[in-house]
Amino acid sequence: MINGSLRPCCNNTRWQGFTLLELLVVIVIIGLLAAYVGPRYFSQLSKSERQTAKAQIEGFGKALDTYRLDTGRYPSTDQGLAALMVKPNDEAKWNGPYLQKSVPLDPWGKPYIYRSPGQGGADFDLLSYAKDGQPGGEEDNADITYR
């Protein structure tokens, strides 16, 4: 103390920065963490896209079932899922709209596929070709279907 003040008596305090080696170590640690966490994050993203598509398809399927209860049949392939929002010209018993919002694209930016009648004797087919946009596939590229 100088003259009773609480200031330090020495002004030769030096500020030292980080060395290049210390910075490189930190960068390597950050890189290792990113390499470990990154793949886990992107696998979760892919899983959430598939879950979103499944949930949307289930919602469309229930809306299609309600449409059939009202009209006695499912919309034709030509009418498509749009018949859930806009009354087709030849449907006197239509009591929609059956969806609160318009039909979105699937999580990969492609339209959902709707066919009526469906293949293999089904009343209709409702599906997304998933990430690859092609029929079939495995894992992230496997088709997502109703029922």
Side-chain angles (χ1 to χ4, degrees):
M1 287 203 310
I2 299 176
N3 299 333
S5 73
L6 296 176
R7 288 184 285 167
C9 65
C10 303
N11 285 335
N12 64 355
T13 304
R14 292 177 47 197
W15 294 95
Q16 294 181 347
F18 295 105
T19 66
L20 181 60
L21 181 62
E22 291 170 329
L23 290 175
L24 289 174
V25 168
V26 169
I27 290 171
V28 167
I29 291 171
I30 291 172
L32 289 172
L33 287 173
Y36 179 74
V37 172
R40 294 179 188 276
Y41 170 77
F42 287 112
S43 71
Q44 290 299 321
L45 179 63
S46 176
K47 184 189 269 185
S48 69
E49 288 171 335
R50 291 188 62 78
Q51 289 173 342
T52 299
K54 285 178 185 177
Q56 287 178 336
I57 285 175
E58 287 293 321
F60 300 150
K62 290 176 181 170
L64 286 164
D65 289 338
T66 305
Y67 180 100
R68 185 189 59 80
L69 288 172
D70 287 348
T71 64
R73 64 182 187 82
Y74 289 104
S76 68
T77 301
D78 292 337
Q79 291 170 328
L81 295 175
L84 299 173
M85 293 297 298
V86 178
K87 180 181 179 183
N89 293 332
D90 58 346
E91 285 299 342
K93 296 179 183 178
W94 190 84
N95 195 25
Y98 298 94
L99 296 173
Q100 293 178 349
K101 297 180 181 178
S102 63
V103 178
L105 298 175
D106 71 11
W108 300 276
K110 299 173 185 80
Y112 287 98
I113 288 89
Y114 172 75
R115 293 182 292 250
S116 179
Q119 297 174 343
D123 291 326
F124 65 89
D125 291 334
L126 179 58
L127 60 126
S128 168
Y129 287 142
K131 187 176 185 177
D132 66 351
Q134 302 295 320
E138 296 177 6
E139 297 180 13
D140 291 344
N141 296 327
D143 297 348
I144 302 165
T145 61
Y146 181 66
R147 296 180 199 185

